[in-house]
Amino acid sequence: MAVILDFAVQGAQMLLVLLLAPLLTGFVRKVKARMLRRCGPPLIQPYRDLIRLMRKEIVLAENASWLFRVIPYLIFAATWVAAALVPTFRTGLLFSWSADLIAIIALLGSARFFLALAGLDVGTSFGGIGSSREVMIASLAEPAMLMIVFTLALVAGSTQLSTMASFMLSPEVGLRVSLGLALIAMIMVAIAENARIPVDNPATHLELTMVHEAMVLEYSGHHLALIEFTASLKLLLYVSLIACLFMPWGLATPAGGAAALGIGALTYFAKLAVGGFLLALFETAIAKMRVFRVPEFLGAALMLGLLATLLLFVSRSL
């Protein structure tokens, strides 16, 4: 009976992240529109867009290889697995032994690698520009993310997400400058990884400034629907990751009952709402930077992660 319950909770989490990802994207768009005194699209507009794209016919370039056709499924599967491994409303899930932060970074890195290949596969100039910019951003974002992982691992003594979340809830953590620096660095990395303002504008179609959109210009139909769904899942993943590692309040434990699961789910919805609101507020208040300034932005995140790790080493040696 306990195994069946664990399977049910794990399956519920996998379906939860899948169903909430477009809603989070729609919520961010709606809040941004309201802040700009516009009505904006309805919250369920991302679902409508996905259904519309799924019904459309796929148009492929003549020189597109089999890899171009397979990549949307690969990046969707890798991102969905990574998002499902992050504890959302309960720790100690059935597959929590595999929910390692380094493994999640590896899954996201693999998805990024294949997406960059898709941009290069057809041989268009815009695809090549987008892929080169994506790899440039990744060369700085991934080291910054690894430094954040090292900082959290030194504090919690593990890279397993459930263990980290449980430790962050304990009174042993306290207020630490290193964790504050790691939080700021992770937010900066999340903005860059999700192609949000000021690094990129997900709503733009200006070729000279596009990063993510330039790589997927040749996709259509349900291939494009999978890529758009993957982008929403990735945004949900990073919001969930920040909530799990730095704000793990309300997470149910394996020993908790149905009431604890309900409280954990409600708390998770509240965290997503706050995260989406803050993202919309930040994007409304700041302008997009030039592409050549992105390395400075991510370099600052890398330095913050490195400083957080060094502070922990120094505090332990004293």
Side-chain angles (χ1 to χ4, degrees):
M1 187 65 182
V3 177
I4 296 176
L5 180 61
D6 289 340
F7 267 111
V9 174
Q10 183 68 68
Q13 168 154 318
M14 295 181 70
L15 290 177
L16 184 66
V17 297
L18 200 63
L19 295 175
L20 288 181
L23 183 62
L24 177 61
T25 301
F27 178 73
V28 173
R29 292 175 183 173
K30 188 70 173 182
V31 173
K32 286 178 66 176
R34 286 298 187 182
M35 289 182 177
L36 296 173
R37 296 191 175 184
R38 294 188 287 107
C39 180
L43 289 176
I44 62 172
Q45 187 61 44
Y47 298 99
R48 295 176 178 175
D49 294 338
L50 292 175
I51 294 173
R52 174 176 53 85
L53 288 173
M54 292 294 290
R55 292 175 176 175
K56 285 193 172 184
E57 182 183 358
I58 297 176
V59 179
L60 290 173
E62 293 181 356
N63 56 340
S65 69
W66 63 270
L67 193 61
F68 187 81
R69 299 174 175 87
V70 172
I71 280 175
Y73 303 97
L74 292 178
I75 64 173
F76 175 77
T79 308
W80 186 18
V81 170
L85 290 178
V86 179
T88 55
F89 58 90
R90 202 193 86 165
T91 60
L93 294 173
L94 187 63
F95 298 141
S96 61
W97 57 270
S98 61
D100 189 273
L101 193 51
I102 297 178
I104 291 175
I105 296 174
L107 286 171
L108 294 177
S110 301
R112 184 190 302 110
F113 170 74
F114 284 116
L115 188 59
L117 282 183
L120 295 171
D121 185 78
V122 181
T124 60
S125 58
F126 291 144
I129 291 173
S131 297
S132 63
R133 290 175 177 175
E134 180 73 10
V135 173
M136 179 267 293
I137 292 173
S139 65
L140 291 172
E142 288 186 0
M145 194 66 185
L146 288 175
M147 296 309 302
I148 298 168
V149 172
F150 294 155
T151 302
L152 296 172
L154 286 172
V155 173
S158 173
T159 56
Q160 207 270 339
L161 287 174
S162 291
T163 304
M164 285 182 170
S166 300
F167 184 82
M168 290 297 178
L169 284 172
S170 65
E172 303 177 18
V173 180
L175 293 176
R176 303 195 186 195
V177 178
S178 56
L179 290 179
L181 296 176
L183 173 60
I184 297 173
M186 180 168 282
I187 292 174
M188 296 172 72
V189 170
I191 290 172
E193 290 278 19
N194 286 279
R196 309 297 302 195
I197 297 174
V199 176
D200 190 18
N201 187 355
T204 187
H205 290 283
L206 181 61
E207 290 84 356
L208 295 178
T209 61
M210 286 191 298
V211 179
H212 177 268
E213 291 294 328
M215 294 184 292
V216 300
L217 281 176
E218 298 297 323
Y219 278 109
S220 60
H222 68 260
H223 286 167
L224 183 58
L226 286 174
I227 292 174
E228 294 295 334
F229 206 164
T230 301
S232 298
L233 272 173
K234 195 173 183 181
L235 178 62
L236 180 79
L237 186 154
Y238 272 96
V239 175
S240 302
L241 197 59
I242 293 172
C244 169
L245 294 176
F246 297 98
M247 294 168 285
W249 312 300
L251 281 174
T253 60
L261 290 176
I263 294 173
L266 291 176
T267 307
Y268 178 61
F269 297 153
K271 292 174 184 177
L272 287 182
V274 172
F277 177 81
L278 293 177
L279 176 61
L281 178 63
F282 178 77
E283 289 189 328
T284 306
I286 197 169
K288 184 185 178 301
M289 66 175 65
R290 296 177 61 192
V291 176
F292 299 107
R293 294 192 60 187
V294 173
E296 299 176 8
F297 180 81
L298 289 174
L302 177 59
M303 289 300 103
L304 287 173
L306 180 61
L307 183 59
T309 306
L310 292 177
L311 282 175
L312 281 177
F313 276 118
V314 171
S315 63
R316 291 192 174 190
S317 62
L318 292 178

